[in-house]
Amino acid sequence: MRTLISNGTVVTADGSYAADILVDGEKIAGIGAGLAQMANATADETIDATGKYVIPGGIDVHTHMQLPFGGTFAKDTFETGTRAAAFGGTTTIVDFAVQSKGKSLREGLDAWHAKAEGNAVTDYGFHMIMSDVNDDTLREMDQLVSEGVPDFKLFTAYPGVFFSDDGAIFRAMQQTAKNGGLIMMHAENGLAIDVIAADTFNAGTTDPIGHGLARYSVLEGEATNRVIRLAQAAKVPVYIVHLSAREALDAVRMARDEGLPAFAETCPQYLFLSLDDLGNGFEGAKFVCSPPLRTQDHQPELWKGLQKDDLQVVSTDHCPFDFHGQKELGKGDFRKIPNGLPGVEDRLDLLHDGGVVGGKITKERWVEIASTAPAKLFGMYPQKGAIAVGSDADIVIYDPNRKHTISAKTHHMDVDYSCYEGRAVQGGSDLVMSRGSVVVRDGKFTGMKGAGKFLKRSTADFARMA
Ligand SMILES: [Zn+2]
């Protein structure tokens, strides 16, 4: 199967230009002006992209399909989650496999392979959440790196569940110094936060707003600085997940100004939503995630971080729980609300609308933070994240002018609400291709359950050189 995409504007992290693209099988086989005239005769299909952007498929390196949390499970499966992602122009996810306490990394990884294989409609990779750091799991890390799972997430939050102390974090970092992997950190001081959350609850605040009030931004800043300094001592790069607060960004910026390989992502919810959304009685449960939504004054700082490359990636932390039946587990105690928001489908459009149309970032930077930078940092480049000859034909034909309204009535995520209900956005994916196959066309799914393949990813070389 050969497909020609003609007359589009190719937008990459490095620049934009008018060109046709020839897709042969699963790969990009040719890029050039006037290719249409030369190759037309041999293409099975020609897609006209006049007036549209042609971009590498989005890469979301932070999703939680079917994550067990707080006595329930995140609702999207690998099938529904990757399909929703594809509708939103994201063709690759990297999900977090979970090591349960007392079990091996292997058991956790195998469980996630079983969830994804035969179900995902687009390609996927895994990071590994480590709940125990000990001699056995440290040894297992090396094996996982060699299997294409080179990143390990640890937490300074959630005592008694995912929490690791500084010694455990440091040992894991020492191991990635040897095996070439990357430590990803959820950086909030969970021990202190739990004290404040209990105080808040005992003082009578039981609604979701308590979640936002208790998780002080300074405690994200403190933990971010601490793990960066641990990584400095271990002489390894470190990646901060879902950075939400000015204080945390300050810690990352300071480290980067010193030349340290510290990296960070933020998420659309921290750019577009705020503490105010948590305030509407129990409705606020829809917006409970950790770190929490911050006061609005943090938002311009995060945009500045994206502009100046102190933040390199925007991912979603997609972790959807229904409002009815799941978020309701926390009625009367905000500490029992399952943490997480849906978002995998909306990322590209929100960033295009709020970022590119909003005049905060260029369209090239948009492609970089949503696709190219995550591909580089997570060992997928240039197979993914690039419009280049030889790269996987994960391609989105994006209409930068089409307007639509985000709503749970029309989204494809398997969750009963949207955090962006009623928000009008400019920009949308017209056609989405995964390894040369069209998976979404004109609002209809044309892909196949199980067509997505596990991505064996390389070590974190970009993080070590940058
Ligand atoms: Zn997460």
Side-chain angles (χ1 to χ4, degrees):
M1 177 80 184
R2 285 157 69 90
T3 308
L4 189 73
I5 301 168
S6 64
N7 301 317
T9 299
V10 177
V11 181
T12 74
D14 300 322
S16 303
Y17 52 93
D20 304 327
I21 293 175
L22 182 67
V23 174
D24 192 354
E26 300 191 340
K27 303 279 184 190
I28 295 173
I31 304 168
L35 207 59
Q37 283 72 34
M38 291 184 278
N40 209 6
T42 61
D44 301 292
E45 188 193 358
T46 299
I47 298 164
D48 182 23
T50 303
K52 310 286 168 65
Y53 296 158
V54 181
I55 60 172
I59 299 176
D60 191 341
V61 293
H62 193 151
T63 69
H64 298 284
M65 304 305 170
Q66 293 168 280
L67 177 80
F69 191 100
T72 185
F73 285 82
K75 233 183 133 214
D76 268 315
T77 62
F78 276 83
E79 182 188 0
T80 63
T82 54
R83 193 178 57 204
F87 271 103
T90 290
T91 51
T92 300
I93 62 163
V94 186
D95 201 85
F96 287 90
V98 178
Q99 178 217 1
S100 308
K101 270 204 177 302
K103 304 259 179 73
S104 64
L105 302 187
R106 166 64 48 203
E107 283 171 85
L109 182 59
D110 286 351
W112 253 257
H113 273 298
K115 289 175 210 251
E117 207 182 325
N119 290 312
V121 307
T122 59
D123 293 346
Y124 58 92
F126 297 123
H127 317 284
M128 190 80 219
I129 286 177
M130 287 182 78
S131 303
D132 301 307
V133 176
N134 55 46
D135 290 346
D136 290 336
T137 57
L138 286 168
R139 216 171 300 120
E140 282 194 282
M141 287 173 78
D142 299 354
Q143 175 61 28
L144 262 57
V145 171
S146 73
E147 291 180 24
V149 181
D151 334 297
F152 305 89
K153 183 183 180 189
L154 288 96
F155 296 71
T156 60
Y158 304 129
V161 188
F162 294 130
F163 176 87
S164 289
D165 67 24
D166 292 353
I169 292 165
F170 189 68
R171 286 189 81 194
M173 286 174 168
Q174 285 181 317
Q175 202 71 16
T176 58
K178 288 183 268 181
N179 65 27
L182 179 66
I183 298 294
M184 308 170 76
M185 290 299 315
H186 178 142
E188 286 184 289
N189 189 322
L191 295 169
I193 284 169
D194 278 7
V195 173
I196 303 164
D199 291 348
T200 305
F201 178 81
N202 291 333
T205 302
T206 60
D207 270 350
I209 188 70
H211 177 84
L213 296 175
R215 304 184 82 93
Y216 295 176
S217 59
V218 66
L219 294 174
E220 184 183 341
E222 180 276 322
T224 301
N225 182 62
R226 177 158 40 103
V227 299
I228 287 172
R229 297 307 162 185
L230 290 172
Q232 180 181 13
K235 300 188 174 62
V236 289
V238 64
Y239 180 94
I240 309 297
V241 297
H242 49 45
L243 187 148
S244 74
R246 178 195 301 109
E247 294 89 334
L249 180 58
D250 286 345
V252 171
R253 184 190 302 112
M254 190 192 293
R256 290 178 65 81
D257 287 350
E258 292 169 24
L260 294 174
F263 303 91
E265 66 181 18
T266 188
C267 309
Q269 53 269 33
Y270 304 118
L271 296 167
F272 298 105
L273 303 171
S274 75
L275 186 67
D276 297 344
D277 293 295
L278 279 163
N280 184 19
F282 193 71
E283 280 287 305
K286 293 177 177 173
F287 300 91
V288 166
C289 57
S290 293
L293 303 181
R294 302 296 184 188
T295 49
Q296 276 182 18
D297 53 300
H298 289 263
Q299 292 173 357
E301 298 295 324
L302 298 179
W303 282 109
K304 208 186 295 169
L306 287 169
Q307 289 158 352
K308 292 181 178 285
D309 203 37
D310 289 316
L311 298 171
Q312 297 78 40
V313 171
V314 177
S315 61
T316 62
D317 196 8
H318 176 76
C319 191
F321 298 99
D322 273 344
F323 180 65
H324 298 289
Q326 292 191 299
K327 289 286 189 180
E328 283 170 350
L329 292 170
K331 253 192 173 149
D333 186 348
F334 65 83
R335 295 169 299 177
K336 299 198 172 106
I337 300 168
N339 282 208
L341 312 181
V344 75
E345 186 170 353
D346 302 321
R347 181 181 63 127
L348 251 55
D349 294 346
L350 285 167
L351 290 174
H352 181 267
D353 182 67
V356 182
V357 179
K360 295 191 177 72
I361 52 171
T362 63
K363 60 186 184 300
E364 292 79 15
R365 181 64 177 157
W366 169 62
V367 167
E368 186 165 32
I369 61 180
S371 178
T372 307
K376 287 179 175 172
L377 281 168
F378 292 96
M380 293 175 264
Y381 188 82
Q383 181 189 353
K384 305 287 190 192
I387 299 286
V389 172
S391 293
D392 282 357
D394 290 4
I395 296 173
V396 176
I397 299 180
Y398 196 85
D399 183 346
N401 296 309
R402 178 155 60 83
K403 295 188 168 78
H404 63 110
T405 300
I406 298 176
S407 171
K409 291 188 198 81
T410 47
H411 74 199
H412 302 85
M413 298 175 285
D414 184 15
V415 61
D416 66 0
Y417 74 97
S418 169
C419 292
Y420 307 98
E421 188 66 42
R423 181 186 287 254
V425 290
Q426 182 179 328
S429 301
D430 282 358
L431 182 140
V432 180
M433 204 179 252
S434 168
R435 273 184 289 105
S437 297
V438 176
V439 294
V440 174
R441 190 193 295 257
D442 301 327
K444 288 202 180 60
F445 182 65
T446 57
M448 217 171 61
K449 174 179 171 162
K453 284 189 194 155
F454 169 67
L455 275 166
K456 195 175 166 191
R457 295 178 296 112
S458 313
T459 47
D461 299 344
F462 268 97
R464 281 172 166 70
M465 288 183 304

